[in-house]
């Protein structure tokens, strides 16, 4: 979540209201839906944003996959090491 908030801050650092909206969406777990809506509705890059909605969605998805996958991999490796063969 922290990395997604960082991406939202970089994307919307000039407009605090857009950043606050994205932060609330991230904390409630609705950011993927918000990004999909922005991209699906054909929203254009606004003047205060660095990149297109597709770029923002891609970065947020990448952060989500990388930082969630690391934790899941650690838990699965730990469980595998503790598992006894029968």
């Amino acid at each position: 979540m922290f990395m997604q908030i960082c991406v939202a801050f970089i994307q919307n650092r000039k407009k605090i209201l857009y950043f606050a909206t994205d932060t609330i969406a991230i904390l409630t777990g609705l950011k993927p839906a918000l990004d999909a809506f922005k991209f699906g509705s054909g929203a254009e890059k606004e003047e205060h944003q660095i990149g297109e909605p597709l770029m923002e969605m891609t970065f947020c998805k990448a952060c989500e996959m990388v930082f969630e996958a690391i934790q899941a991999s650690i838990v699965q490796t730990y469980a595998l090491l503790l598992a006894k063969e029968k």
Side-chain angles (χ1 to χ4, degrees):
M1 285 185 174
F2 176 73
M3 291 305 296
Q4 286 183 338
I5 291 173
C6 289
V7 169
F9 177 75
I10 291 169
Q11 179 77 347
N12 298 305
R13 66 177 173 246
K14 294 180 182 174
K15 296 274 186 166
I16 195 70
L17 182 62
Y18 289 99
F19 171 65
T21 304
D22 278 355
T23 302
I24 291 170
I26 291 167
L27 294 175
T28 57
L30 297 173
K31 181 67 171 158
L34 180 64
D35 286 341
F37 175 76
K38 286 180 188 176
F39 178 70
S41 67
E44 296 290 324
K45 178 183 136 181
E46 297 180 21
E47 69 236 14
H48 70 276
Q49 294 178 329
I50 292 176
E52 300 286 331
L54 178 61
M55 185 196 74
E56 181 182 5
M57 183 172 69
T58 303
F59 279 127
C60 285
K61 285 289 186 188
C63 288
E64 188 177 328
M65 285 190 319
V66 168
F67 291 103
E68 287 181 13
I70 289 171
Q71 296 169 0
S73 296
I74 291 171
V75 170
Q76 289 175 357
T77 303
Y78 181 70
L80 183 64
L81 292 173
L82 292 180
K84 295 181 182 178
E85 292 220 17
K86 293 183 179 190

